Amino acid sequence: MPQRKVTISDIATAAGVSKTTVSRYINGREDLLSDSARTRIKKAIEQAGYVPSAAARNLKERKLLQVGIVLADIATPFSTSLVIGAGAELRRAGYAVVVCDAANSLEAEHAAIDALLQDQVSGLIVNTVSADNPELVRIARSAVPVVLCDRYVNDCSADIVVNEYCDSTLELMGHLREQGFSRAVFVTEPFENNSPRYIRMDAFLDADRRLFGARRPEADVCVIDPADTRSVRRAFARVCADAEKGDAPAAVFATNTAVLVAAHRALRELGPQAGRAVRLCGPDEWGWARHMGWDWAEEFAGGITTLEYQPRKMGEKAARLLLRRIENPGARPREEIVRARLRPRASTLCREGPGPERA
């Protein structure tokens, strides 16, 4: 009776590792494995007399002109513009692009990166789910070219492209104070392990203390889930009730475009009085809209003051950094910063203090 052929699953079981780990070993990505895992896999292969298939051997020797882009949330306007910018640069350099959505799941992000590495991509651009990401740190320290985009990762010295969040937040807060607002409220999604959100929030807290005289600036922070419409409406009902106690409307500073849209929807549902109690402002990350010549923030709700970010430009810069890293693996890591522009509009522009919002 013929003996059953040894498979990669048999080697994984014998070595006490996953099939992905064995595949990395076979395909020449031993730099991604621990010494212990390499030793166990080598021993299991020798004892079983396992011979990788011809396809696997060919894969080991072939360099694919392919780059992986991993996004924390592909559904956002930011992600769309980022991919457009990065994809155009990479295709000009002769690379195909594979885009993966982590759906705000760290586990899904790791699975996507594992799949891309098995496909032998030439490098990765990662808009990570979490700043606390030891797995991504390990990969970035290996021979795999990695560029981080928009989000810092703890203890990771990889190339990175980020938006400038601190100074732009202070500029917007200064504008609000100059226009006569006596209170600002910062509305954010959960910010733990998300560097754009906590950097912007820290800048808000500093400005709230210095410019608005807040004794407890933390009380001016409201955390919401933009997808939970009922809880958003309840949160804004409280914000409006507090604002109505003062002599002038409060400014609501949304942490991203998703929060800005959710805030506008909640205020409309709460009625005209809510719109008079608070005024909206926040980031504009819809680079694709501006690329089409559409200034959505000018038309939205009669004109909303925004910080105009450039995700498409970030994608272009991330692609160039990755191409540089592929060509020169030993280069020192570089940080590229993309500036934002303050665009004051009707929602916060007032002559003698805040007045009625334009219809």
Side-chain angles (χ1 to χ4, degrees):
M1 185 174 184
Q3 187 175 4
R4 185 177 70 87
K5 184 178 180 180
V6 178
T7 67
I8 193 172
S9 295
D10 297 326
I11 299 302
T13 300
V17 298
S18 68
K19 289 193 293 183
T20 297
T21 302
V22 176
S23 178
R24 287 178 176 175
Y25 178 90
I26 293 170
N27 293 326
R29 305 315 300 266
E30 298 180 27
D31 55 299
L32 296 175
L33 310 181
S34 67
D35 292 340
S36 175
R38 281 197 298 269
T39 301
R40 295 199 307 274
I41 294 170
K42 183 175 184 294
K43 183 177 180 180
I45 287 174
E46 290 173 349
Q47 290 180 343
Y50 174 72
V51 178
S53 67
R57 288 196 300 272
N58 290 338
L59 182 61
K60 180 177 179 179
E61 297 171 359
R62 187 172 74 238
K63 181 180 180 181
L64 299 179
L65 293 180
Q66 189 168 261
V67 165
I69 300 178
V70 182
L71 301 166
D73 183 0
I74 201 171
T76 66
F78 172 87
S79 296
T80 303
S81 294
L82 180 71
V83 170
I84 290 172
E89 288 290 319
L90 292 167
R91 284 191 295 274
R92 272 195 291 270
Y95 286 85
V97 177
V98 181
V99 180
C100 298
D101 177 26
N104 288 312
S105 163
L106 193 58
E107 182 178 339
E109 178 183 305
H110 291 163
I113 291 175
D114 273 345
L116 290 167
L117 292 176
Q118 286 190 64
D119 284 344
Q120 297 284 284
V121 293
S122 300
L124 297 168
I125 295 174
V126 183
N127 169 236
T128 185
V129 169
S130 176
D132 184 16
N133 200 333
E135 175 70 6
L136 186 54
V137 172
R138 185 179 64 79
I139 291 170
R141 288 174 178 170
S142 72
V144 179
V146 174
V147 173
L148 304 178
C149 201
D150 192 50
R151 297 181 179 182
Y152 292 100
V153 173
N154 300 335
D155 302 317
C156 189
S157 59
D159 294 303
I160 185 169
V161 180
V162 291
N163 279 313
E164 194 297 300
Y165 289 115
C166 186
D167 289 346
S168 57
T169 295
L170 295 176
E171 183 181 11
L172 177 52
M173 290 290 282
H175 161 78
L176 296 175
R177 195 70 188 95
E178 289 172 359
Q179 293 299 312
F181 288 92
S182 57
R183 185 186 178 213
V185 178
F186 186 74
V187 184
T188 179
E189 294 182 76
F191 50 83
E192 297 82 0
N193 292 321
N194 183 298
S195 62
R197 295 175 196 166
Y198 64 65
I199 290 172
R200 190 179 276 142
M201 187 182 71
D202 285 347
F204 169 86
L205 295 173
D206 179 51
D208 199 29
R209 187 180 298 108
R210 291 193 294 107
L211 301 179
F212 288 81
R215 295 183 178 180
R216 293 181 57 250
E218 294 82 3
D220 291 329
V221 174
C222 178
V223 181
I224 66 167
D225 174 3
D228 187 346
T229 56
R230 290 186 179 181
S231 68
V232 172
R233 191 163 55 247
R234 287 195 299 269
F236 271 90
R238 292 191 295 270
V239 170
C240 291
D242 289 342
E244 289 170 359
K245 297 175 184 176
D247 297 328
V252 167
F253 183 169
T255 192
N256 57 34
T257 307
V259 171
L260 187 62
V261 173
H264 172 67
R265 181 180 61 228
L267 291 174
R268 286 191 61 183
E269 292 173 353
L270 289 169
Q273 183 61 30
R276 289 189 289 271
V278 300
R279 304 296 179 73
L280 295 179
C281 58
D284 170 10
E285 300 159 321
W286 286 3
W288 58 266
R290 291 194 299 275
H291 184 66
M292 294 189 299
W294 175 40
D295 186 355
W296 71 273
E298 181 67 35
E299 301 177 21
F300 189 64
I304 289 186
T305 293
T306 59
L307 288 169
E308 193 173 277
Y309 290 98
Q310 303 179 72
R312 180 170 180 153
K313 187 174 182 179
M314 291 187 70
E316 293 169 355
K317 285 181 173 288
R320 290 173 196 147
L321 280 180
L322 185 62
L323 294 171
R324 167 182 171 268
R325 177 62 54 188
I326 291 170
E327 292 299 319
N328 188 4
R332 294 186 64 179
R334 181 180 295 176
E335 180 177 14
E336 298 273 1
I337 298 175
V338 180
R339 303 285 172 180
R341 179 171 64 157
L342 176 63
R343 291 289 300 273
R345 294 186 179 88
S347 67
T348 63
L349 287 176
C350 319
R351 292 183 178 179
E352 298 178 358
E357 193 170 60
R358 192 171 77 189

